[in-house]
Amino acid sequence: MIEIALLTESPWPAWDWQALSERACSSALRASPQADLANTSATVEISVRLTSDEEVHTLNKQYRQQDKPTNVLSFSMVQADLIESLGNTDDGEILLGDIVLAHGVCAREAEERKVSLQDHATHLIVHGVLHLLGHDHMDDAQAEAMESIEQATMAALGLHDPYPIED
């Protein structure tokens, strides 16, 4: 079972962010190589925080030494090399980690991509879940693998391709 702990703060508009987050997290987990976590008897918990650019800027500077806001940050609670063994846990709960989205950055990117804020937030939550599962995009091969999972997840959700091929 997947459980989403959601905290929505201003300036995020009123919306059913809980349902969106649950759908995005569940779909990303099921599309990943770690899909067996979706069927474990343990509760897989992910925290999703929708907040301001200012808060994300502070977190990005503190934890990544990047002095600017970014669209999404992921803070894994599980070491990447232990992810595969989580499906065998007899603990009642797996705290996978935290995903934090910055409203202003997300809204600007959604407008640039001509997609709704909700659809773009869905993609960024999917992206964040994959980071929590140990995926990354530090080199071309990693980026291609991660983007492929994101594209499959978004397609399964009936949403846009987050990485369309530009002519």
Side-chain angles (χ1 to χ4, degrees), residues 100-117:
V100 185
L101 273 65
H103 178 267
V105 176
C106 292
R108 281 189 300 280
E109 289 177 350
E111 188 174 317
E112 289 168 5
R113 290 167 171 78
K114 298 178 177 41
V115 298
S116 70
L117 176 61

Side-chain angles (χ1 to χ4, degrees), residues 69-95:
T70 188
N71 53 12
V72 61
L73 291 171
S74 299
F75 299 97
S76 184
M77 299 291 282
V78 180
Q79 290 175 220
D81 61 337
L82 297 177
I83 295 287
E84 294 300 324
S85 66
L86 289 178
N88 300 322
T89 185
D90 57 1
D91 292 341
E93 186 175 54
I94 299 168
L95 301 175

Side-chain angles (χ1 to χ4, degrees), residues 11-162:
W12 285 85
W15 186 264
D16 190 353
W17 297 110
Q18 183 71 38
L20 183 149
S21 297
E22 289 171 2
R23 191 170 170 232
C25 290
S26 294
S27 297
L29 184 56
R30 291 185 198 293
S32 76
Q34 297 81 15
D36 60 327
L37 284 177
N39 301 318
T40 184
S41 60
T43 300
V44 177
E45 184 175 329
I46 298 172
S47 172
V48 176
R49 182 176 180 98
L50 306 178
T51 191
S52 66
D53 286 9
E54 292 77 21
E55 182 174 343
V56 173
H57 184 161
T58 299
L59 292 169
N60 203 22
K61 185 175 182 181
Q62 182 177 358
Y63 292 101
R64 295 182 62 234
Q65 291 70 53
Q66 299 289 317
D67 193 12
K68 62 182 179 180
T70 188
N71 53 12
V72 61
L73 291 171
S74 299
F75 299 97
S76 184
M77 299 291 282
V78 180
Q79 290 175 220
D81 61 337
L82 297 177
I83 295 287
E84 294 300 324
S85 66
L86 289 178
N88 300 322
T89 185
D90 57 1
D91 292 341
E93 186 175 54
I94 299 168
L95 301 175
L96 204 52
D98 304 329
I99 300 169
V100 185
L101 273 65
H103 178 267
V105 176
C106 292
R108 281 189 300 280
E109 289 177 350
E111 188 174 317
E112 289 168 5
R113 290 167 171 78
K114 298 178 177 41
V115 298
S116 70
L117 176 61
Q118 293 81 3
D119 288 355
H120 190 50
T122 298
H123 170 237
L124 294 175
I125 292 169
V126 166
H127 185 88
V129 168
L130 294 177
H131 277 305
L132 296 182
L133 293 170
H135 298 272
D136 215 330
H137 42 81
M138 297 304 288
D139 63 40
D140 289 344
Q142 290 176 337
E144 189 175 307
M146 188 169 172
E147 289 172 8
S148 177
I149 299 169
E150 290 175 65
Q151 288 171 312
T153 303
M154 293 295 283
L157 290 168
L159 298 176
H160 68 284
D161 180 348

